[in-house]
Amino acid sequence: MAFAENSKLLFEKAQKFIPGGVNSPVRAFKAVGGNPLFIKSAKGPYIYDEDGNQYVELINSWGPMILGHANEMVQHAIEEALSASLSFGAPTAREVAIAELIVDMVPSVEKVRMVNSGTEATMSAIRLARGFTGRDKIIKFRGCYHGHGDSFLIAAGSGALTMGTPDSPGVTQGTAKDSLLAAYNNIESVEKLVQENKDKVAAIIIEPVAGNMGCIVPEEGFLQRLRKLCDQENIILIFDEVMTGFRLARGGAQELYGVIPDMTTLGKIIGGGLPVGAYGGRQEIMDYVSPVGPVYQAGTLSGNPVAMAAGFAMLQYLNTHPEVYTQLEKITSDIVEGIQHNLRQMNLSYTLNHVGSMFSLFFTSHEVTDFQSASTSDTAKFGLYFRKMLEKGIYLAPSQYEALFVSTAITPDLVNKIVQANREALKEVHER
Ligand code: HOZ
């Protein structure tokens, strides 16, 4: 891409010092072609690369920038915290305040432990579920991604799926055999695994709205039936709400669908964009964590004061401004309806999935309800579409298997810009 010369040079240099030139695989643009953009700054609805190009943001740091980039209220909270030093490795008033707020906002959470990323949250949650139940196995869903913990790199979605390596070398067979795979939206596949592994399953972990194989919506009754099955079999139900928590509703997908898991994992969003994760749930389970209980988990940077300040400012705002969710829904619906209109006009039968402020356009005419149907997408066409959108100033996730995230900073004019870019890009993709 001629318009991104500085990014190209930086990528060449980066590859000498960083594996693949990136610190997270999906960023390498391998699935869409071209060189990754190196980002210099972002403000509100826009992100700027090292060549000074401006793009409308539809990744938003993979979710957390709900209010747009460099939100002044969040930035101010960070500045205030900065002057009191960066890390103590000791309890603070701030972490108590954010814990209280999370307990208030997320229906399933009676107690919460802060960690540093979504990956750490899911790894810790699984360890706790195993320790609490005295069982070894977990059930995950094909195409769901729960960070890069060993137990989850089996049929993992997201970056792993994008790179065509959903099962990673380095995960021992011993670990892999304890991760059982079910099909998303297929309760029978879960029931079968539970019956075949009677009294051995500690937890079922799921993205209540999948965001890591593209956006996939739970079918009516699916989450409810999972809840019932877990109750009958004394299995801990874990909702991974790293992407959906505080985004789809004040209390996340669990509030939206009215299904309360035993445990919830959270990430990115609770740090307002800084590196934070958390896991929480029923008091009885959470009190099984050290120092009250025997399951060990720790971290010097857990509850970091600067990250807590950013997260608290963000959550407090969301907690007191319910109109954010109607606004997000309206902006996203307008974009989605515009794209649907374009598809109809061009006689294209691609699938568009949408919940709240998350959506995905799949380059397939199949209904996309699980990993298998998501995999019918024409990824080469998606790659071309991605590059065309980028040329028109729209920054999409560089993979068919990632959801897009909308912020409140997107104005009606920008909605029109996105829809128009989509129309032109689809046209160019199909002219070839
Ligand atoms: N696959 C990650 C989100 N689902 C990408 C994260 C990143 O590259 O920053």
Side-chain angles (χ1 to χ4, degrees), residues 56-60 335 359 394-396 404-406 410 418:
V56 180
E57 248 290 50
L58 287 176
I59 305 182
N60 281 301
I335 297 172
F359 73 99
I394 314 293
Y395 190 58
L396 303 179
L404 299 178
F405 300 96
V406 170
I410 304 266
I418 294 165

Side-chain angles (χ1 to χ4, degrees), residues 370-423:
D370 58 8
F371 169 71
Q372 209 182 348
S373 43
S375 309
T376 63
S377 302
D378 184 335
T379 50
K381 248 183 203 147
F382 173 84
L384 186 55
Y385 168 74
F386 169 87
R387 296 195 299 277
K388 298 281 177 197
M389 288 295 273
L390 206 57
E391 279 166 23
K392 295 172 203 315
I394 314 293
Y395 190 58
L396 303 179
S399 165
Q400 173 71 97
Y401 304 116
E402 298 281 1
L404 299 178
F405 300 96
V406 170
S407 79
T408 54
I410 304 266
T411 60
D413 280 352
L414 291 177
V415 170
N416 291 338
K417 184 178 161 97
I418 294 165
V419 172
Q420 189 185 335
N422 165 270
R423 182 165 50 245

